[in-house]
């Protein structure tokens, strides 16, 4: 059995970029606001039959609303728009980009890679590599790791790590299934987490720290895997089934193990901001209590955006960036189904 509790087993899970910096991070909100009461209304026949009270999404998960893209909108276009916005804020020209990494989960097709359409829409040069990196809600943090390594190796000068999630088809498919007359209480609860998801886009530009002293240095990070729990959350293009209770309890242990390893090496408990993957109220409270964090240092965006998959963390980072000052220590704390966790310290 894999050891997921010993913080001293760092091995190859620890990484220390030598010359990578975050030059910009930005986000786009999807325009259509969908309150949690919408799901109560459309699912009322099933909820009444199963004797489930309305308001569960807000009461249990703390999600008051989430966003959808407009009818006919293409999420990859939103990712490209966000990527160009991030390049503009970083002062980097598209012709100088060496790689664009898409971390989108809700892909509209299996091939080609979502990154190909983003690369085209951003009008990047033919010399710019482009590929998808998927690892559930952890992919954006993994994208930072890969981009940092490519910059350190000299393979690229600038990297763009981005994504845009479109959960509207998943919501619509879930509603259709849950309105069937044979749906059980267990069926409803297994798909409850799907309704906490939301749409959005985020992008970050990374470059060489020695060329950009104004950038935010990526100092290092660590990770942990608990893949014996890979069946706790399984999703496809239209359906996600989750064992919410076990996903929380086992996920927190993976997060705690990764954080304790980082704390032992870099003293993370003294950091100025902890930007965690946005899931729900209970997840956030449990992380804060389990790790002994100051709740005032943990920004929360899930009440208004829901869980935007791997993009929820950079969206939250971009949202809280105006509050950060030079020299602040920021811990980006990712976790994803599988179970996997990876964390990165950024010197703001």
């Amino acid at each position: 059995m894999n050891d997921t509790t010993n913080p001293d087993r760092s091995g190859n899970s620890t990484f220390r970029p030598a010359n990578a910096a975050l030059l910009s991070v930005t986000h786009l909100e999807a325009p259509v606001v969908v309150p949690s009461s919408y799901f109560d209304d459309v699912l009322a026949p099933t909820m009444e039959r199963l004797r489930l009270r309305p308001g569960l999404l807000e009461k249990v998960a703390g999600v008051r609303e989430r966003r959808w893209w407009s009818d006919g909108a293409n999420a990859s276009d939103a990712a490209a728009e966000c990527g160009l916005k991030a390049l503009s804020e970083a002062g980097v020209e598209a012709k100088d980009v060496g790689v664009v990494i898409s971390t989108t989960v809700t892909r509209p097709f299996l091939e080609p890679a979502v990154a190909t359409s983003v690369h085209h829409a951003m009008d990047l040069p033919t010399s710019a590599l482009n590929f998808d990196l998927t690892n559930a809600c952890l992919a954006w943090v993994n994208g930072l790791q890969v981009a940092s390594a490519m910059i350190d190796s000299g393979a690229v000068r600038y990297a763009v790590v981005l994504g845009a999630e479109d959960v509207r088809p998943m919501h619509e498919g879930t509603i259709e299934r849950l309105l069937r007359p044979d749906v059980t209480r267990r069926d409803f609860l297994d798909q409850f987490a799907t309704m906490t998801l939301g749409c959005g886009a985020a992008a970050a530009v990374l470059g060489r720290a020695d060329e950009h002293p104004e950038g935010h240095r990526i100092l290092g990070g660590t990770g942990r895997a608990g893949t014996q729990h890979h069946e706790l959350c399984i999703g496809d293009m239209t359906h996600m089934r989750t064992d919410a209770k076990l996903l929380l309890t086992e996920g927190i242990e993976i997060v705690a193990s990764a954080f304790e390893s980082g704390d032992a090496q870099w003293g993370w408990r003294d950091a100025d901001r902890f930007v965690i993957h946005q899931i729900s109220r209970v997840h956030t409270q449990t992380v804060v209590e389990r790790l002994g964090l100051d709740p005032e240092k943990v920004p929360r965006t899930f009440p208004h955006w829901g869980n935007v998959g791997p993009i929820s963390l950079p969206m939250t980072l971009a949202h809280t960036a105006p509050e950060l000052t030079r020299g602040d220590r920021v811990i980006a704390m990712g976790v994803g189904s599988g179970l996997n966790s990876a964390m990165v310290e950024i010197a703001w």
Side-chain angles (χ1 to χ4, degrees):
M1 180 178 292
N2 296 333
D3 183 354
T4 59
T5 59
N6 186 349
D8 298 323
R9 293 177 61 88
S10 55
N12 292 331
S13 67
T14 296
F15 72 103
R16 300 171 185 264
N19 194 32
L22 182 70
L23 307 185
S24 67
V25 59
T26 189
H27 73 287
L28 289 175
E29 290 188 8
V32 181
V33 177
V34 182
S36 289
S37 58
Y38 166 78
F39 293 93
D40 290 337
D41 293 341
V42 296
L43 294 173
T46 297
M47 296 182 70
E48 290 172 4
R49 178 172 61 82
L50 299 178
R51 297 183 180 179
L52 292 169
R53 294 183 179 179
L56 287 176
L57 283 165
E58 185 169 351
K59 181 178 180 180
V60 175
V63 177
R64 293 193 291 273
E65 59 192 31
R66 77 285 294 134
R67 304 293 192 272
W68 281 355
W69 299 111
S70 302
D71 286 335
N74 188 325
S76 63
D77 288 342
E81 179 184 349
C82 207
L84 291 172
K85 181 182 177 185
L87 286 176
S88 177
E89 292 181 1
V92 175
E93 296 187 39
K95 66 181 180 62
D96 294 323
V97 173
V99 64
V100 58
I101 303 173
S102 171
T103 64
T104 297
V105 169
T106 52
R107 53 193 308 121
F109 35 70
L110 294 177
E111 61 177 317
V114 175
T116 60
S117 59
V118 173
H119 181 284
H120 174 71
M122 291 181 67
D123 196 24
L124 297 179
T126 58
S127 57
L129 301 173
N130 59 95
F131 55 84
D132 292 356
L133 190 160
T134 64
N135 192 13
C137 292
L138 188 58
W140 190 83
V141 176
N142 291 151
L144 288 191
Q145 295 173 302
V146 171
S148 297
M150 294 181 74
I151 289 170
D152 278 357
S153 71
V156 302
R157 187 180 178 195
Y158 295 107
V160 182
V161 182
L162 49 67
E165 298 299 330
D166 184 5
V167 300
R168 186 168 183 170
M170 186 177 289
H171 281 161
E172 292 171 344
T174 298
I175 290 169
E176 181 181 353
R177 278 189 303 276
L178 293 181
L179 285 175
R180 294 172 183 169
D182 59 344
V183 163
T184 66
R185 192 182 184 94
R186 171 52 59 190
D187 294 331
F188 190 98
L189 296 177
D190 283 349
Q191 298 178 61
F192 179 81
T194 308
M195 293 176 280
T196 68
L197 303 177
C199 301
V205 175
L206 285 76
R208 298 173 182 168
D210 58 5
E211 293 183 351
H212 293 275
E214 79 284 1
H216 313 297
R217 190 70 176 262
I218 299 176
L219 298 180
T222 187
R224 286 293 184 273
T227 53
Q228 67 269 36
H229 305 300
H230 69 276
E231 295 182 339
L232 293 182
C233 182
I234 297 177
D236 57 29
M237 303 296 190
T238 63
H239 183 198
M240 186 174 76
R241 174 177 56 80
T242 303
D243 186 329
K245 183 177 180 179
L246 279 178
L247 195 67
L248 174 65
T249 57
E250 300 300 339
I252 290 299
E253 294 308 308
I254 301 297
V255 167
S257 181
F259 182 83
E260 288 162 6
S261 176
D263 184 47
Q265 297 176 73
W266 293 291
W268 280 357
R269 291 185 194 279
D270 296 326
D272 300 287
R273 199 64 56 96
F274 303 93
V275 182
I276 71 175
H277 170 48
Q278 301 291 302
I279 299 177
S280 67
R281 177 192 292 122
V282 65
H283 173 267
T284 302
Q285 290 177 343
T286 304
V287 168
V288 167
E289 294 170 2
R290 177 71 170 78
L291 303 182
L293 306 180
D294 180 349
E296 296 300 317
K297 295 181 177 181
V298 182
R300 295 162 172 80
T301 58
F302 64 82
H304 300 289
W305 294 340
N307 175 355
V308 199
I311 303 306
S312 69
L313 194 153
M315 286 185 71
T316 305
L317 179 60
H319 179 73
T320 196
E323 303 172 6
L324 300 174
T325 59
R326 192 70 179 175
D328 279 353
R329 300 177 63 199
V330 180
I331 314 300
M333 303 171 60
V335 64
S337 301
L339 289 167
N340 289 293
S341 179
M343 304 181 183
V344 179
E345 179 176 355
I346 304 169
W348 211 257

